[in-house]
Amino acid sequence: MASTLSKAPILRATAVRSYSCQAVPIGGTTTYKVENSTLQNKLVVCSAENDSPLSRVSIVFRAGSRYEGADNLGVSHMLRMTAGQSTRNWSNFAIARRVAQSGATLSCTADREVVAYTLEGTRAAVAECLPYLTSVATEQLFQPWEISDQEKRVRLELATRPPQLRCIDLLHKAAYRKTLGNSLFIAKYKIGKIGSETLQHYVRQNFTPTRGAVVGLGIDHSKLEQIGQCLKIESCKDEASPAKYAAGEIRSDKGGDMAYVAIASQSAGICQIKEALAFGVLQRALGSGPSTKYGMESASLLRKAIGDIRDPHSVSAINYTYSDSGLFGVLAAMPAKIAGQITTSVVKTLKSLKVSDADVNRGKNQYITDILTSNECGRNAIERMGREAALTGTGQSPCEIIAEIQSVSASDVQAAAQKISSGKLTIAAVGNLHCVPFKDEL
């Protein structure tokens, strides 16, 4: 029988709502300051107090797919899939039971550059479960039977990838070939061939103090420093191959009624922060999608260039920024019969890309709104802070990022647009490609 204990009486309903203006939002504030420090072992520690009842701690390492070699392609995918399995101190059942009993959640995310283990929950729950986070992140056993148990999950994840994600994955492959061109997903022929020894070796090589960071929201900085000092990770020679832009083309004809095309050129990495922010502004000026659900972008440069096409389609600017490189371009999804028309219009727009002062102001305002909206979610905030700390050695608050965006001038954005117009294009396409022109035809 359903309980009515949680329902407010009618006479109290108005009073209960009246207190909402005094409550601290679950997501916390976005005006916090970030405290940064570096331990003696070179591990970066970042923390901030966002006044949220929820606390989050993340252990991050530069161990994404770009660091894979020819002999272990797909290992970062398997590393993510096996997160939470048995460690030196606890079995996977004990970890899952005790984290669930405390009301916390423990997750692992990975991209092309970083792997992050994140614990989130109430402040008391996070304090109770911190030993499980450190053990899951640095004391993995990778038992052979636990690895084989993940094969069905891996096959399901590969089968359910949306075509847009496949297109972006191929875009990176065409643009960089190796390093940043390595896929986020394991190839089907590699499933079952990455064993415990491969995973252990990859962790020893990449889970090191000089490649790691410990970040937290809603937790004391000294506590994070203690966590960092107690992590059981060993120093190792830090080797990483730089990304080399190749400007290639990859097509994957899958049939169907739709075509998905990604076109991009090299932009800037995080090491060139002002130029990277200029590309962020340019992305919004070009058109990164509607700001409201089911809305339209009538003012964007892409929408004006493509014109009035009645067939349903989606065209948005994309901008991927990494430590030493980046990709800027357009992702289009459309019926196969109009793929040639839209692809040609997109290439013409990129090759003659120009922005006015009004476009720059609109792009800066949208960029600032996106930053603030994204950081209202603590999960997005901890992910951003962890990536910054691992790649640059310091974390920034949303206010600091906004101040840097506001310092971007119209000439900076125009220089970014000129770089794209004069650069070599990379093209990737997935779906029904009979109307999609080849690169040399554009």
Side-chain angles (χ1 to χ4, degrees):
M1 184 174 67
S3 172
T4 60
L5 292 176
S6 61
K7 297 181 180 179
I10 295 177
L11 294 178
R12 289 187 55 210
T14 303
V16 170
R17 288 198 300 268
S18 296
Y19 284 113
S20 62
C21 61
Q22 300 178 10
V24 177
I26 292 295
T29 67
T30 57
T31 56
Y32 51 81
K33 295 182 179 180
V34 178
E35 185 175 354
N36 298 283
S37 65
T38 302
L39 303 181
Q40 292 183 351
N41 60 0
K42 306 301 181 182
L43 185 75
V44 176
V45 179
C46 301
S47 68
E49 179 53 72
N50 63 341
D51 298 324
S52 171
L54 300 180
S55 181
R56 294 173 174 86
V57 179
S58 187
I59 300 176
V60 188
F61 295 100
R62 296 200 306 272
S65 60
R66 75 169 294 173
Y67 302 103
E68 297 172 355
D71 58 338
N72 62 359
L73 287 174
V75 66
S76 63
H77 186 189
M78 291 305 301
L79 189 63
R80 174 169 60 85
M81 299 301 288
T82 56
Q85 300 303 309
S86 299
T87 67
R88 297 173 191 171
N89 298 322
W90 292 286
S91 67
N92 58 350
F93 174 75
I95 294 170
R97 182 185 64 181
R98 294 180 183 181
V99 171
Q101 284 178 340
S102 69
T105 59
L106 184 56
S107 61
C108 177
T109 58
D111 61 20
R112 284 183 162 78
E113 292 202 288
V114 300
V115 174
Y117 298 85
T118 304
L119 176 68
E120 54 185 337
T122 62
R123 301 196 175 207
V126 167
E128 179 183 348
C129 294
L130 281 174
Y132 305 114
L133 171 65
T134 58
S135 186
V136 166
T138 61
E139 299 177 353
Q140 308 95 326
L141 290 181
F142 300 118
Q143 302 287 10
W145 55 88
E146 292 180 341
I147 297 174
S148 61
D149 286 345
Q150 308 304 316
E151 291 184 9
K152 291 184 179 179
R153 290 180 56 210
V154 172
R155 293 186 186 276
L156 177 62
E157 189 168 281
L158 293 179
T160 56
R161 286 176 297 170
Q164 293 93 330
L165 181 58
R166 297 188 184 200
C167 192
I168 293 299
D169 212 32
L170 291 179
L171 179 71
H172 283 80
K173 184 68 175 178
Y176 296 106
R177 298 177 182 172
K178 301 178 182 179
T179 59
L180 290 174
N182 292 340
S183 176
L184 293 173
F185 303 94
I186 187 173
K188 291 181 180 179
Y189 72 89
K190 294 281 287 185
I191 296 176
K193 297 182 179 179
I194 293 182
S196 177
E197 295 81 4
T198 303
L199 287 164
Q200 291 283 11
H201 179 72
Y202 190 77
V203 167
R204 283 196 300 270
Q205 291 293 115
N206 295 283
F207 284 31
T208 63
T210 56
R211 301 171 68 92
V214 178
V215 299
L217 284 174
I219 189 170
D220 188 69
H221 189 80
S222 61
K223 181 63 177 179
L224 290 181
E225 290 182 329
Q226 292 176 9
I227 295 173
Q229 291 168 352
C230 295
L231 289 181
K232 297 179 180 179
I233 50 179
E234 299 177 357
S235 299
C236 188
K237 189 176 181 180
D238 195 353
E239 295 180 352
S241 300
K244 296 181 180 179
Y245 184 69
E249 178 183 17
I250 294 180
R251 297 165 67 96
S252 179
D253 201 330
K254 298 290 185 179
D257 300 324
M258 300 291 291
Y260 304 86
V261 180
I263 305 170
S265 184
Q266 188 176 27
S267 56
I270 296 178
C271 56
Q272 303 162 302
I273 183 61
K274 191 164 187 178
E275 187 179 359
L277 291 175
F279 277 105
V281 174
L282 181 62
Q283 178 190 8
R284 276 74 181 179
L286 189 57
S288 57
S291 301
T292 58
K293 193 174 184 179
Y294 306 121
M296 291 289 291
E297 272 194 322
S298 58
S300 70
L301 299 177
L302 271 178
R303 180 57 52 194
K304 294 177 181 178
I306 293 174
D308 186 16
I309 297 179
R310 294 186 177 181
D311 293 287
H313 63 278
S314 172
V315 181
S316 61
I318 55 176
N319 181 36
Y320 295 94
T321 306
Y322 302 102
S323 56
D324 57 348
S325 185
L327 287 177
F328 181 92
V330 175
L331 173 64
M334 58 255 157
K337 62 182 180 180
I338 62 171
Q341 177 185 356
I342 291 182
T343 302
T344 302
S345 298
V346 167
V347 171
K348 287 182 179 178
T349 301
L350 292 176
K351 282 300 183 182
S352 58
L353 190 55
K354 295 181 180 179
V355 290
S356 64
D357 291 346
D359 294 327
V360 172
N361 289 331
R362 175 170 52 84
K364 290 171 71 171
N365 291 334
Q366 289 184 3
Y367 198 4
I368 292 172
T369 300
D370 290 345
I371 292 291
L372 291 174
T373 303
S374 175
N375 282 273
E376 286 179 351
C377 173
R379 187 171 297 180
N380 294 338
I382 195 72
E383 182 179 346
R384 175 194 58 78
M385 190 188 302
R387 194 169 187 273
E388 287 179 354
L391 298 182
T392 68
T394 182
Q396 288 184 301
S397 68
C399 293
E400 292 173 324
I401 298 174
I402 289 172
E404 292 183 347
I405 293 174
Q406 291 173 335
S407 68
V408 174
S409 64
S411 59
D412 295 328
V413 182
Q414 290 164 359
Q418 178 60 33
K419 183 175 181 178
I420 297 300
S421 298
S422 60
K424 296 181 179 180
L425 294 180
T426 296
I427 299 179
V430 175
N432 188 336
L433 309 182
H434 74 278
C435 289
V436 178
F438 287 83
K439 181 180 176 180
D440 58 359
E441 297 173 346
L442 295 168

